[in-house]
Amino acid sequence: MWETSPVNRTWIVIPMYNEGTVVADVIRGLLPVFPYVVCVDDGSSDKSAQIAREAGAVVVQHPINLGQGAALQTGIEYALQDPKLGCIVTFDADGQHKVSDAFEMASRVLSDEADIVLGSRFLDDRTKLSPMKRIVLKTAALQSKLSTGLDLTDAHNGLRAFNPYVARNINLTQNRMAHASELVNRLATMKPRYVEHPVEIIYTDYSKAKGQSLLNSVNILAELFLR
């Protein structure tokens, strides 16, 4: 087990929509390392909110489904109410992210190495991607670089760690998947100190069904080039 005290004032923000079958295990995996976990239930029709609360997370609820961007913004605003906040980590509810990666990223923020640490699945060989998905994500990263000037290898990675300064200035307004591009655009304007960190994305049948399919990647590209 890691020495957790350096990240104890880190809030994990988990956007959640009908994740009742998996979110309890995700929360239980986080809590020994990150005691502060807020799940934003984005209008789920299942028992996600109840299950997350029983697993030990704070739960904030949207009365209707507003999309992942809106859920992230709600969670960030909740965490910012903590006067002792040191770091926020955005973490997916479907089990595709690793706690050890989040711990390393939060530690880099809290050591003041950077204002924001962005996860990248392309900085090591742990993540197993299909050739087509790799092409799609690389193309998205190139388009992001051309439009913002930020040289990111993985512009659509949901695992991010950042300090209160970045949190106060992100202000996501794109509710659905477009929030990932909006966040990169915000960073290009804000010009925080940023680094990328190698992370592993664990693709399961569940996560693929929830939005990590190739079709979803194609939708990301369409969103980038047709907006």
Side-chain angles (χ1 to χ4, degrees), residues 117-173:
V117 179
L118 300 152
S120 174
R121 74 201 91 185
F122 295 114
L123 295 182
D124 62 24
D125 59 2
R126 287 181 293 165
T127 300
K128 307 306 178 188
L129 290 165
S130 68
M132 182 57 70
K133 191 173 184 69
R134 182 177 294 273
I135 290 172
V136 168
L137 291 173
K138 286 286 190 180
T139 303
L142 177 60
Q143 193 279 339
S144 178
K145 180 180 179 180
L146 293 174
S147 63
T148 67
L150 295 183
D151 190 11
L152 302 178
T153 60
D154 193 1
H156 283 78
N157 196 306
L159 185 54
R160 315 173 185 94
F162 44 88
N163 63 19
Y165 164 73
V166 172
R168 283 191 292 269
N169 288 280
I170 285 179
N171 192 27
L172 296 173
T173 60

Side-chain angles (χ1 to χ4, degrees), residues 82-205:
D82 182 351
K84 296 182 179 179
L85 175 68
C87 180
I88 293 174
V89 175
T90 60
F91 200 94
D92 284 0
D94 60 7
Q96 68 170 291
H97 293 153
K98 298 189 70 171
V99 177
S100 56
D101 289 334
F103 175 82
E104 292 169 359
M105 293 167 69
S107 296
R108 294 182 74 174
V109 171
L110 292 167
S111 70
D112 201 34
E113 179 184 347
D115 296 313
I116 181 167
V117 179
L118 300 152
S120 174
R121 74 201 91 185
F122 295 114
L123 295 182
D124 62 24
D125 59 2
R126 287 181 293 165
T127 300
K128 307 306 178 188
L129 290 165
S130 68
M132 182 57 70
K133 191 173 184 69
R134 182 177 294 273
I135 290 172
V136 168
L137 291 173
K138 286 286 190 180
T139 303
L142 177 60
Q143 193 279 339
S144 178
K145 180 180 179 180
L146 293 174
S147 63
T148 67
L150 295 183
D151 190 11
L152 302 178
T153 60
D154 193 1
H156 283 78
N157 196 306
L159 185 54
R160 315 173 185 94
F162 44 88
N163 63 19
Y165 164 73
V166 172
R168 283 191 292 269
N169 288 280
I170 285 179
N171 192 27
L172 296 173
T173 60
Q174 297 290 329
N175 289 343
R176 301 194 182 278
M177 294 309 293
H179 75 273
S181 301
E182 183 186 24
L183 188 145
V184 175
N185 290 335
R186 289 264 194 264
L187 295 180
T189 302
M190 196 188 316
K191 302 185 186 307
R193 296 170 297 150
Y194 74 92
V195 294
E196 290 188 295
H197 186 89
V199 301
E200 180 180 8
I201 302 299
I202 303 168
Y203 295 109
T204 63
D205 291 341

Side-chain angles (χ1 to χ4, degrees), residues 30-42:
L30 284 162
L31 286 176
V33 181
F34 297 101
Y36 301 94
V37 177
V38 57
C39 292
V40 181
D41 180 50
D42 192 28

Side-chain angles (χ1 to χ4, degrees), residues 69-82:
L72 283 172
Q73 185 60 37
T74 296
I76 290 168
E77 291 175 3
Y78 182 89
L80 281 170
Q81 296 179 55
D82 182 351

